[in-house]
Amino acid sequence: EDRIVLLHEGFLSRYRAPRRFCYTNTRVPQWHEIWTRTQIRVNSSRMIRVTQVDSEEELEDFSLWSVLFSFLKEKLNDTSIDVDLYSNKTCLKVDLVDTNTEYCIVLFRRFDPKLFLVSFLGLLLFFCGDMLSRSQLFYYSAGISFGLLASLLVLVYVMSKVMPKKSPVYLLLVGGWSFSLYLLQLIFKNLREICKSYWQYLLGYLLLVGLVSFGVCYRYGPLENERSINLLSWALQLLGLLLLYSGIQIHPIALGLVVVAICTKNVDYPLRWALAVYRRVQSAKQGPSPPRLLTEEEYRLQGEVETRRALEELRSDCRSPKISAWSVVSRIQSPKRFAEFVDGASHVTPSEVSLHEQEYGLGGIFLEDQLFEEDGEEE
């Protein structure tokens, strides 16, 4: 019974006495095992205590820390221990609470959908962190979730204030993180039984804490400061990268995907910098290029477009309530023509168009005078 039992993948063994087990990993992780989990599962009909260590020497040594760790480790009848794909050896010790307790132990390797969901959640947080940091729905959801998780620690703190100073329970409550972690572990491990037996109290507690958390979030409101929004966005992106890295079991592939995600999200910045540098180099080689002159047709079209736009701006200004219509009408010679222009009529009359054609058109007086002046200068 004192010897260490070596575990092999896929073999189920049954025992009735305390044992020490070790698993030596000889396989090299492959690329298709990125979401593969290796677990050692111990199942029993009665309560047992399972202690995990990293080497055989720790199984032999007796220390106060190992006793404290085994005390804080909950006694379970069905527990699973995750084995890192890169760990050389994983050891554990099974202690029986009751004699003649039968338990079985098996080591298996399988695809874990939880790891895939963690990686997908990491990608979602990284690429949608900017949008989520500005979303009110995410703000209230995250606030209520954080309030539900933090309420357990607040409950421990309130109990420590209520307890007498000389009470041994007070020493446990203020005794550090160990008791709090142990309490949280008990709650999460027995969450299914709590939901089944005490669902009324659990529902009331969730509603009360949820409403209080919503009230606090509503009191302070969503983030409006741009720097605060940027800090939340960076925190979400960093959390997404950590989830992406932790969800993939092959470390080089995980690191490569993190780098690819960062480059994909920020690919536009290097392209802009490279394009700006290329343009500067090309402009330095070619020198300053002379400005392009407009052709006669482009000059005429630009004049028509700008004149039409200026007339529309003038009409809109005349319709504005800021301008006094009576003051404008009293200053102009033809109020009727001004009113027609504001309603959309042309700004020139047919007689003015005919006079302009006679003076500046082909065969006009002004054009003939210019031609005669140029001929006299040549003579």
Side-chain angles (χ1 to χ4, degrees), residues 148-280:
L148 292 175
L149 294 177
S151 61
L152 297 176
L153 299 178
V154 174
L155 184 61
V156 173
Y157 176 77
V158 172
M159 290 177 62
S160 65
K161 291 297 183 181
V162 174
M163 290 293 176
K165 296 296 182 180
K166 297 183 179 180
S167 175
V169 182
Y170 177 78
L171 298 178
L172 287 176
L173 291 175
V174 235
W177 291 97
S178 57
F179 182 78
S180 301
L181 293 177
Y182 179 65
L183 183 62
L184 293 177
Q185 183 187 14
L186 285 177
I187 293 175
F188 284 107
K189 289 293 183 180
N190 300 279
L191 185 60
R192 180 180 300 177
E193 188 67 25
I194 293 175
C195 294
K196 184 178 180 180
S197 302
Y198 307 98
W199 64 270
Q200 301 95 337
Y201 303 100
L202 180 62
L203 182 61
Y205 175 77
L206 293 179
L207 288 177
L208 178 61
V209 177
L211 290 176
V212 172
S213 302
F214 177 80
V216 173
C217 294
Y218 183 77
R219 166 64 180 81
Y220 292 97
L223 298 178
E224 296 180 356
N225 189 4
E226 193 66 26
R227 293 185 177 181
S228 302
I229 294 176
N230 291 335
L231 288 176
L232 179 59
S233 175
W234 296 338
L236 291 177
Q237 293 177 14
L238 181 60
L239 178 62
L241 292 178
L242 292 178
L243 291 178
L244 176 62
Y245 184 82
S246 61
I248 297 177
Q249 299 297 297
I250 311 299
H251 297 166
I253 297 180
L255 185 60
L257 288 180
V258 168
V259 174
V260 169
I262 295 175
C263 295
T264 304
K265 185 176 179 61
N266 303 288
V267 69
D268 54 337
Y269 295 106
L271 290 179
R272 290 179 184 176
W273 296 338
L275 184 60
V277 171
Y278 175 77
R279 288 178 178 177
R280 288 184 177 232

Side-chain angles (χ1 to χ4, degrees), residues 88-133:
N88 295 326
K89 181 170 291 188
T90 303
C91 299
L92 57 95
K93 181 180 180 181
V94 179
D95 295 324
L96 303 182
V97 178
D98 299 329
T99 57
N100 297 326
T101 299
E102 182 180 3
Y103 63 93
C104 59
I105 183 170
V106 62
L107 184 142
F108 59 91
R109 188 188 303 258
R110 63 181 178 83
F111 170 78
D112 193 353
K114 296 180 181 179
L115 296 177
F116 174 77
L117 293 178
V118 169
S119 303
F120 180 76
L121 180 61
L123 286 175
L124 186 65
L125 287 178
F126 180 73
F127 285 101
C128 301
D130 299 334
M131 181 184 64
L132 292 177
S133 61

Side-chain angles (χ1 to χ4, degrees), residues 71-90:
F71 173 74
L72 294 177
K73 188 72 176 180
E74 184 187 4
K75 298 181 290 291
L76 299 173
N77 58 352
D78 188 2
T79 183
S80 299
I81 297 176
D82 296 331
V83 179
D84 189 6
L85 296 181
Y86 290 90
S87 63
N88 295 326
K89 181 170 291 188
T90 303

Side-chain angles (χ1 to χ4, degrees), residues 60-76:
E60 302 291 342
D61 297 338
F62 178 82
S63 61
L64 181 61
W65 174 252
S66 61
V67 174
L68 180 62
F69 182 80
S70 62
F71 173 74
L72 294 177
K73 188 72 176 180
E74 184 187 4
K75 298 181 290 291
L76 299 173

